Structure formats: structure tokens, C-alpha cells
Amino acid sequence: MPPQVPSPLRRLLPLSQTLAPVPLLYLSRRLFSSSVSAPRSPFIRAAGLRPLAYRGQSSRDHLRRGSSTARKEPEGMASGGGGGKDAGVAFNKTRAEGKDGRKDRSMELKNRRANPISTTSYVQILGTGMDTQDTAPSILLFFDKQRFIFNAGEGLQRFCTEHKIKLSKIDHIFFTRVCSETAGGLPGLVLTLAGMGDEGMSVHPSDVLGPSIPGPIVLLVDCPTEYHMRELFLLQSLSCFYEDSSCQTENAKKVNCIIHLGPSSVTNTVDYQNWMKSFGTTQHIMAGHENKNMEIPILKGSARISSRLNFLCPQLFPSSGFWPVEPANDIALEKIKSTPFQTCESVTAANLLKFQLRPYAQLGLDRASIPSLCSYGDIVDELISEIPEIKEVPEQISKFWPSVDQKSAPPSAGKDVLMVEEPWINKDSCLPDVLDEQMNSAKFQDDSSLRESGGRKRRKCNSETPCCVENATREDMEITFLGTGSSQPSKYRNVSSIYINMFAQGGMLLDCGEGTLGQLKRRFGVSGADEIVKNLRCIWISHIHADHHTGVARVLALRSKLLNGVPHKPLLVIGPGQLLRFLNAYSTLEDLDMQFLDCRRTLKASVEDLLSDNVTESATTQIENTMFVPGSRMENYNKKPASHRDTTALANLKEILDKSGLEILYSVPVVHCPQAFGVVLRAKEKVSSAGKAIPGWKLVYSGDTRPCPALVDASRDATVLIHEATFEDSMQDEAIARNHSTTKEAIEVGTGAYRIILTHFSQRYPKIPVFDEEDMRKTCIAFDLMSVNLADLPVLPKVLPHLKLLFKDEMVVEESDEVLEAVV
């Protein structure tokens, strides 16, 4: 019997009692119905073999997507505590309580038989992870009216949107291995498929390959380590495919194509190459990770936007969308090169490369769909030809930053360096005290909890610029937006994730939607992202909607792998209680090496008690379990004793804050869904070279929410407020129905903050949201891969008008047309 884990991934557990070997998983369009494949091999699949059935129900409540496009007006509207100037702000009480029960749509599909004589069929490489190496590539088996997917790593849905691969006809999903690398995109993909309605196809291979007409044979081989090779070579089920097979002539079978998914460290070994040769003239396609693929962006639309933004403002957009190939360290390949060994003839997989199966006249490789290559220079030339006046904008923007001597500050060295700082500015430079701006920002007030120490005097600051900003170095803190869209990944915006970089003191993630790891690699490079993952202090998750948390397992699994054999502590994950169920399910598949702490244990009073060393057993057992904002009509308190696990995690939190240079981190209940939170981070004060105390910066992140008093209070004297702005101002009714905020509402919440950065935009705004420029005097909008250094905060509002020129001809896309087009 499998462990009784209350999670959609519960269906995967019978397939993975050990990490290796793991049988291939088959998943049909019936929601989370799965089965173990007939072949004995844990890593090989022959197209057309029929799997055995294994059925069961599963819960998916905690995987609901935070949709921003639903039109139905839910019941249960209410008015709670006010935000901004209003005495009260309306919200959807039913949704906030988790009672907006959306009916699960049936995954039962219609039967349509394909004609095996006239059908078009091919296998195609879907190059997810080819450039970032964060996830396994997927393989599409295509028929006229059916689609089969092999592996569904993170980013698959966004990839299909980018390349207009229709998801509506995906009828079955297979996995060569069951782990976050191959299945990380499954939750989001199934939510999309479940929302499409009843039309589609159906549970069988006999509908595709008629028994009277033998079809071409394709093998998918995923041999992840050298440990698996011996079992692969001894498989009796493959013996009839070998060229020197001892099988009877009538039983001998010719393999037309083998797609190898294993890494080059395995496939380049002499033994593996000899095994490949045993198939004779079979076409071999090497689809494992190879360094040379890193210079070709798979998400061309996203890379194009990144290149354009980098051209305009490299200070805020350091990633050009392209990066050089990192040096390879392929020991197996070097061994082969040093010997006279003749490797097996093969081709390297390219994104969207096809191998045609039918009609027979076209049997073989088809490169017609491979995207054309373009460079950063090509994209910039295209931009200037489209908008000639934009050529002068980079120089205008650069004037907001002071010129510096590039040789005056050599970069730091050592294990704590996570990135190479931009060469155009040194680490000790800061923006001039006086910028010609008219900003309506509140006067910065010293927080009462920051005390004078050692008789030091606080420096008096400019009335508009907080001391922590005025005295900032470029290695204090930097915010990188890894995903700024809502609901589901789109062509130009990934789902929610923010990386807080504290440089030598580590970093943390605020929310971690699907594809977070891939975005880290696009921003910092493959090796740079690995260093960031290793140096994470904690991951904080705002609520349980899928667009905010389904990337956590992939990040945790990679960290566990990178730190294997190195002394370290489990990574602290702070989130709503339901998140633990999701992570526990994944941890049965692979080691996540994490420690969990419920957000309800990190409310302000509890953390302040912890940090003041006044935590007693009685105090620990009386931590508030708050579902909704105190003072709202949904106020609900529960007293639960803290477990030993919570006490240990709280002690770990205290140590993390100290090592991260943070004075405090606490969660703030907000109004969105049950157990939804915002978060406050405040850095410790530092001492200037003159011996004066400088207050630390304060960052507030809203998560998803309606305007609420708790967040308004938390945002007072904030250095920067990151607030969701899902809808434009004219769509307030929609914002209320979905318990999100409009642009104006988000700005009003941040009245007491120095700077506001808006994020989590509806997918109806694919490139740039709609906003009123009158409201943006101290506000900026976030883009994917945008990095905002603490020292850059004064200049943000001045940059925005220049960025708007880039999108002057863009139109609002109603109901996420690009996403829906790819789906149906």
C-alpha cells in the first residue's frame, strides 16, 4: 500500500519506493490517473506498448490556480478594514474563506480513432531546459488527432505557449523518471487541461497503431547515471532490436529512431557508445543536456523583451537574454577523444527537431520546424528600425546614474560572490543626494525598534531619501523579479517569484512559482544560479495557489544535490500549512532536505518574542493561528500548541536572521484565500565610516491580496513595498471578485513607503500593464529578470516613462489570448 499522502502527487508514490531505479509513469487525461508501464526497464519506452492500469482519486484543492480571468461574480461580497483613504475596502468573503467551490471539470474525453494508413505522425524534441539545464527536455509524439507527452518538466506550458503547440489534444503523459526534473511542470499542466472542458480524445495505443499495419519503432532511453547502464544493457526485452539478434527472422524488429535523454557524462562513455552501435543503422538523437545549447534561448519571446530592455537600461536589466557557453567538464568525452575509439554516428537534438514516422515516404529527420537563430545585435537593430527615436534613450537613462572610474573598485573574490557586479559602477558608489525629481514620498521616520547603540549618533538624512538608501553600497541588497505574471506562465511573464540578494550574506526567495529555477539561470547563468541556490537562507511562500509555490520542489531538490557530501543544514521553508502536504508528497520521490515552518508561527508578536529571548514554553504554545486580517469581519482565532518541530524551526529562523544581517522577518495575514500572507523584512542597522548608525532597509511584499489594514500598517516607513496589481483601475469589480488589487489600490496601500514596485499582472497585459502616470510618481512596474539595487531606488520613477516608449504600440490582450490560443 502506498503512503496515504493527501496530495495530487499521491498517485506517483507506488512508482517510486526508491529513487533509482524508478518505473516509467503513465498519466492519462483522467485527472491524476496513472499506471506502471509494462516494460521492466526503468528508463526506456517503446512507442505503442500498452501500459497496465492503476486508478484512484486524489485531492487537488491546494493546487488551485490563482486565476485572474474568471468572469463569474461570486457571492459573499463583504467590506473589511480600509486601505488608503477609504473607511472600508470590499472583498470576496466567500473566496477568502476558501468556500468558492469551483466544480472540478471532468477529464473524461471522447473517442476518435485515427486512420493508421493516412495519418501524419512524428516525434519532436520540445527543448525545455536545453538552454538553462534546469529540467529535462520533453518529447511530443504527434498524431493527427492525438498527442502524447513524455516528461513534463517545469516550463513546459510556457514553452508550448511560446511555440504555439496546442495543449488541448494532449491525451496521455508518460514519465521516464518521477522526480522534480521530469515532472515539475505537471501540476500546472494538469490544471490547464482540467479547465478546458470535455472535448478531446481518449485511457489507447491500439487507436493509433492499427494491429494489421506495423508502425515505425522509436525508443526513448533515459539512463541518468552510469549506475543504470548495466541493467539497461542486460534487458531481454531489447534483444530482438539488436542488429546481431539471435531472434527468429520473423520476430526481429528494426528500430527507426532512438532518442537518448541521459546526460553526456553517461552517453559519451565507451560502453554506452558500443551499446548504441548494436542497433545498426538506427538514427540516434542525443537530447541530453549539452553546454553548446546554452547560448540559444528556448523562450525567444522572453529573450527578445529582455534584450530590448537591456539595450535601454542595462542598470536595471543586466540580462541580455543571451549568454556565452560555459566551459564543459565532460570527463567521458575527453576519455573518448584521447583514444582511437570510433563513436556511434548520431545527431545532436535541436529545439523542435522532428523525426517523421508517417507517411512512410517522409520517414527520417525533419529540421524544418527548428527556430531560426538570432543574436542580441539583430534584436537591437530590429528595435531601432521599428522605433527610430528610441536610439537616444539609453544615453538619456544613463545620465540618472553617476559616472565612475571603472578601475577604482576591483570586484570582490571568494566563495560568497554570487554574481559579477556591473562594470559600469563600483560597489561603494551611490546615487547623488539631489536628483531633479518631484516625488510625493513620505518623510522617512526611524523605526522605534531601532535603538541607539554604543553612543553612536544617527545621521540626519535628506527629507525625501531614507538614510539606508542615501548611504547604500551596491552590495547591501538587490531585488530580482523572476516572475511578474499571475495565474499561469505566459510568453513574456513567468509566474510569481522574487529573489532577494544580500550578496555575501546569502539570499532568499519570496514565492517560488513554476519555472523559478529556470529564471534564475536566465538571469545569473547556469553556474551562477547554482551558487545562488546553494547560498539560499530560506524560501518564503505567501499562499498555496499553484502560481506561487509549484517551483519549490525543483529548487530544493537541486540544492540537496549540489550540497550532497558538504556539511549543511536543511533549508528553511516558511509557508501556509497546506504547503507541507505538497512538499511531503514530493519528498517521497527525492530528497528535498528542508525544514518547514508555518507562516502562522511567524506573526510579528511571535517573532519579536523569539528575538527578545523571552520565548517560554507557555508563550510558544499560545502563538496565534490567524486565518484572516485582525479587525476584519472574517476575524478567526485558534490557539494551537507549538510542536517540537515548530520550536526547532523557530530557533533556526533566529540563526538565519543573524547570518543574513536581518533584524526581523515576520508574516502579515492578508485578504485573498485561507492562510494568505504578506511578509516584512528589515535589515539590521549598520555603522558608517564616520561611526554613525544608519537604520537598515525595510522591504514589504504583499503576496496576493485586497487592500487591507494589516498591510497598510506594515508598509509604513518601508523602504520599498512590492505589491500585487493584478488589474487596471477600471476593473475594480473583477479585483473584488478575485480578491486582488487594482493599480491605484496598491499604490494607496504604500502611502507611507518610500518606493512602490508593482507586480503580479494579469495575463491580459502580456508586456506592460495599464496605469495612470499621475499615480506613478514614486512607483515603478516590475518586469521579468529586472534587478533593482537598494542604491537605485531613487531613480526608479524617472526610468518608467522611457520604458513605456518601448511598448507604445502594445495593446491589452483580452483574457490572455496568447495563452488560450496555445491551449485550444
Side-chain angles (χ1 to χ4, degrees):
M1 292 292 292
Q4 295 301 308
V5 178
S7 163
L9 291 175
R10 177 161 58 93
R11 292 281 64 82
L12 309 188
L13 300 184
L15 312 178
S16 54
Q17 301 302 328
T18 58
L19 293 182
V22 178
L24 180 145
L25 169 72
Y26 159 85
L27 186 71
S28 77
R29 279 286 303 273
R30 297 177 188 272
L31 185 59
F32 292 112
S33 300
S34 58
S35 64
V36 181
S37 64
R40 291 173 49 200
S41 169
F43 33 64
I44 190 164
R45 180 72 187 176
L49 293 181
R50 185 169 181 173
L52 304 176
Y54 176 87
R55 297 225 173 266
Q57 297 179 344
S58 60
S59 166
R60 68 186 186 101
D61 289 343
H62 67 289
L63 278 173
R64 279 181 176 171
R65 173 173 287 135
S67 173
S68 61
T69 58
R71 287 294 187 186
K72 185 178 179 181
E73 191 78 9
E75 300 178 356
M77 295 300 174
S79 178
K85 299 179 181 179
D86 297 332
V89 176
F91 59 87
N92 183 349
K93 181 174 184 289
T94 303
R95 179 173 173 83
E97 291 176 336
K99 297 178 181 178
D100 55 336
R102 287 167 250 165
K103 295 183 179 179
D104 291 342
R105 296 190 180 184
S106 170
M107 297 287 282
E108 197 75 34
L109 302 174
K110 299 177 182 178
N111 286 314
R112 295 181 185 174
R113 288 182 175 270
N115 186 337
I117 298 178
S118 62
T119 189
T120 296
S121 177
Y122 56 81
V123 287
Q124 186 172 30
I125 307 294
L126 307 185
T128 53
M130 273 189 168
D131 53 347
T132 54
Q133 302 192 359
D134 63 304
T135 189
S138 297
I139 307 297
L140 171 68
L141 175 58
F142 176 95
F143 294 92
D144 285 332
K145 296 182 179 180
Q146 285 186 301
R147 313 286 189 272
F148 299 85
I149 291 286
F150 294 81
N151 290 339
E154 288 189 1
L156 175 60
Q157 188 174 184
R158 190 180 187 194
F159 176 92
C160 291
T161 300
E162 166 88 10
H163 296 287
K164 302 188 183 301
I165 296 173
K166 293 177 170 47
L167 297 173
S168 61
K169 296 182 180 180
I170 294 177
D171 198 30
H172 303 280
I173 303 174
F174 299 81
F175 293 96
T176 57
R177 287 176 287 134
V178 185
C179 59
S180 60
E181 183 181 3
T182 59
L186 178 62
L189 181 61
V190 170
L191 285 172
T192 296
L193 295 177
M196 278 195 260
D198 298 331
E199 185 174 354
M201 283 61 63
S202 177
V203 201
H204 306 294
S206 59
D207 295 336
V208 181
L209 301 178
S212 60
I213 303 178
I217 296 175
V218 176
L219 300 184
L220 305 184
V221 183
D222 187 354
C223 187
T225 68
E226 292 188 49
Y227 165 79
H228 294 83
M229 288 198 300
R230 178 173 174 79
E231 183 180 354
L232 172 64
F233 300 161
L234 295 178
L235 282 175
Q236 292 299 315
S237 57
L238 293 179
S239 59
C240 60
F241 297 125
Y242 297 143
E243 189 175 47
D244 58 352
S245 171
S246 58
C247 298
Q248 297 295 326
T249 305
E250 59 272 15
N251 293 329
K253 300 177 181 179
K254 168 67 175 176
V255 178
N256 300 90
C257 178
I258 302 179
I259 300 176
H260 301 268
L261 300 175
S264 57
S265 59
V266 173
T267 58
N268 283 335
T269 61
V270 173
D271 289 341
Y272 196 94
Q273 290 286 316
N274 281 330
W275 176 76
M276 290 169 58
K277 290 179 181 179
S278 64
F279 291 93
T281 59
T282 295
Q283 176 68 70
H284 295 275
I285 301 176
M286 314 308 290
H289 292 319
E290 294 198 19
N291 282 27
K292 64 181 180 181
N293 289 327
M294 291 164 50
E295 63 180 339
I296 306 172
I298 297 301
L299 301 176
K300 294 183 64 176
S302 175
R304 183 170 174 268
I305 291 293
S306 295
S307 296
R308 290 181 165 214
L309 289 169
N310 172 262
F311 169 73
L312 290 184
C313 185
Q315 297 87 347
L316 298 180
F317 302 95
S319 175
S320 68
F322 297 81
W323 48 85
V325 176
E326 298 184 4
N329 185 23
D330 194 334
I331 299 176
L333 182 60
E334 294 302 320
K335 285 183 178 179
I336 288 182
K337 288 182 177 180
S338 63
T339 64
F341 178 77
Q342 182 66 37
T343 60
C344 181
E345 185 175 348
S346 63
V347 299
T348 300
N351 185 30
L352 300 183
L353 173 68
K354 294 180 181 178
F355 187 89
Q356 293 285 353
L357 303 175
R358 291 184 185 277
Y360 281 118
Q362 298 178 9
L363 185 70
L365 291 172
D366 180 358
R367 302 178 183 273
S369 299
I370 297 177
S372 58
L373 300 181
C374 65
S375 66
Y376 175 81
D378 295 333
I379 293 174
V380 171
D381 290 343
E382 175 192 59
L383 172 62
I384 294 174
S385 66
E386 290 178 5
I387 313 174
E389 62 269 30
I390 210 167
K391 188 175 182 180
E392 309 302 325
V393 171
E395 183 179 355
Q396 297 170 7
I397 291 179
S398 67
K399 293 178 181 178
F400 300 149
W401 277 266
S403 59
V404 295
D405 182 0
Q406 297 183 10
K407 299 179 181 180
S408 62
S412 303
K415 64 180 181 179
D416 292 323
V417 176
L418 301 182
M419 61 175 285
V420 177
E421 210 34 79
E422 293 84 358
W424 45 266
I425 195 163
N426 69 43
K427 69 175 185 176
D428 294 319
S429 66
C430 59
L431 294 170
D433 289 346
V434 180
L435 288 174
D436 184 20
E437 332 177 358
Q438 296 298 321
M439 301 178 183
N440 183 26
S441 59
K443 184 177 180 180
F444 183 87
Q445 301 291 334
D446 286 341
D447 194 281
S448 59
S449 63
L450 291 176
R451 300 178 296 275
E452 298 287 347
S453 59
R456 294 188 297 268
K457 295 182 178 179
R458 293 187 182 276
R459 186 182 187 279
K460 293 184 178 180
C461 300
N462 182 299
S463 61
E464 289 188 347
T465 307
C467 291
C468 61
V469 176
E470 199 171 76
N471 294 273
T473 73
R474 299 201 66 82
E475 291 186 358
D476 283 346
M477 186 271 288
E478 187 168 86
I479 306 165
T480 295
F481 293 89
L482 303 174
T484 57
S486 67
S487 183
Q488 63 193 77
S490 72
K491 185 175 181 179
Y492 300 108
R493 292 185 184 269
N494 201 47
V495 288
S496 296
S497 185
I498 301 170
Y499 172 59
I500 307 300
N501 188 359
M502 293 171 287
F503 298 93
Q505 294 176 309
M508 60 181 60
L509 289 171
L510 307 181
D511 279 333
C512 191
E514 178 186 336
T516 291
L517 180 58
Q519 292 290 86
L520 278 172
K521 291 178 181 282
R522 291 182 181 96
R523 169 60 182 86
F524 298 100
V526 172
S527 59
D530 286 349
E531 288 299 311
I532 285 173
V533 170
K534 288 193 293 186
N535 286 280
L536 282 175
R537 297 295 187 190
C538 77
I539 298 176
W540 183 91
I541 303 298
S542 62
H543 63 291
I544 203 62
H545 283 161
D547 55 327
H548 290 258
H549 80 274
T550 53
V552 175
R554 185 71 193 105
V555 172
L556 292 174
L558 176 63
R559 179 181 180 272
S560 178
K561 178 181 177 182
L562 293 172
L563 294 177
N564 185 31
V566 178
H568 67 281
K569 288 187 176 182
L571 185 65
L572 182 65
V573 177
I574 304 173
Q578 312 102 310
L579 178 63
L580 182 59
R581 301 162 63 193
F582 178 81
L583 295 176
N584 281 342
Y586 253 115
S587 65
T588 63
L589 306 177
E590 54 190 331
D591 184 14
L592 298 185
D593 193 21
M594 63 93 187
Q595 184 181 45
F596 184 78
L597 181 60
D598 196 313
C599 278
R600 292 171 293 186
R601 305 295 180 191
T602 63
L603 302 181
K604 185 177 182 180
S606 302
V607 178
E608 286 180 340
D609 284 343
L610 173 71
L611 297 176
S612 63
D613 294 322
N614 291 330
V615 178
T616 63
E617 183 176 352
S618 60
T620 305
T621 59
Q622 295 297 317
I623 294 177
E624 235 169 37
N625 176 1
T626 308
M627 182 176 293
F628 303 111
V629 178
S632 75
R633 295 184 181 183
M634 298 180 295
E635 186 173 0
N636 178 24
Y637 294 99
N638 241 335
K639 303 292 184 180
K640 288 188 177 181
S643 65
H644 174 70
R645 180 188 63 197
D646 288 337
T647 304
T648 303
L650 282 167
N652 190 20
L653 173 61
K654 185 176 182 180
E655 180 182 349
I656 288 170
L657 294 178
D658 183 62
K659 290 183 177 180
S660 303
L662 295 178
E663 182 179 271
I664 195 170
L665 176 156
Y666 63 90
S667 300
V668 180
V670 297
V671 178
H672 180 61
C673 66
Q675 295 191 44
F677 297 88
V679 68
V680 176
L681 306 176
R682 189 168 62 223
K684 294 178 180 178
E685 69 175 23
K686 63 180 183 178
V687 182
S688 69
S689 57
K692 295 182 179 179
I694 301 171
W697 50 264
K698 178 181 177 182
L699 181 149
V700 180
Y701 170 51
S702 69
D704 285 6
T705 185
R706 289 289 295 147
C708 61
L711 201 62
V712 172
D713 183 65
S715 300
R716 291 192 181 99
D717 73 24
T719 314
V720 58
L721 166 65
I722 303 172
H723 201 290
E724 70 117 296
T726 308
F727 295 102
E728 61 185 282
D729 295 338
S730 64
M731 300 187 69
Q732 187 175 38
D733 289 344
E734 188 78 2
I736 294 171
R738 308 309 302 166
N739 278 345
H740 285 295
S741 300
T742 65
T743 299
K744 190 177 187 65
E745 288 174 333
I747 294 172
E748 288 178 346
V749 169
T751 299
Y754 172 63
R755 288 289 180 264
I756 304 169
I757 304 178
L758 304 180
T759 186
H760 196 267
F761 303 111
S762 169
Q763 303 295 6
R764 71 181 70 242
Y765 318 114
K767 294 181 181 178
I768 191 167
V770 176
F771 58 88
D772 187 343
E773 291 189 16
E774 287 298 316
D775 295 326
M776 306 300 285
R777 288 172 292 179
K778 66 173 185 177
T779 305
C780 187
I781 59 175
F783 294 86
D784 280 20
L785 308 185
M786 174 181 178
S787 290
V788 180
N789 196 283
L790 179 64
D792 294 336
L793 288 178
V795 84
L796 278 184
K798 299 198 76 172
V799 174
L800 183 58
H802 296 279
L803 299 183
K804 191 174 181 181
L805 177 64
L806 181 64
F807 306 104
K808 66 175 186 176
D809 297 323
E810 300 296 335
M811 302 293 291
V812 172
V813 177
E814 270 300 310
E815 295 303 319
S816 186
D817 285 347
E818 287 189 331
V819 174
L820 294 178
E821 180 183 355
V823 169
V824 301

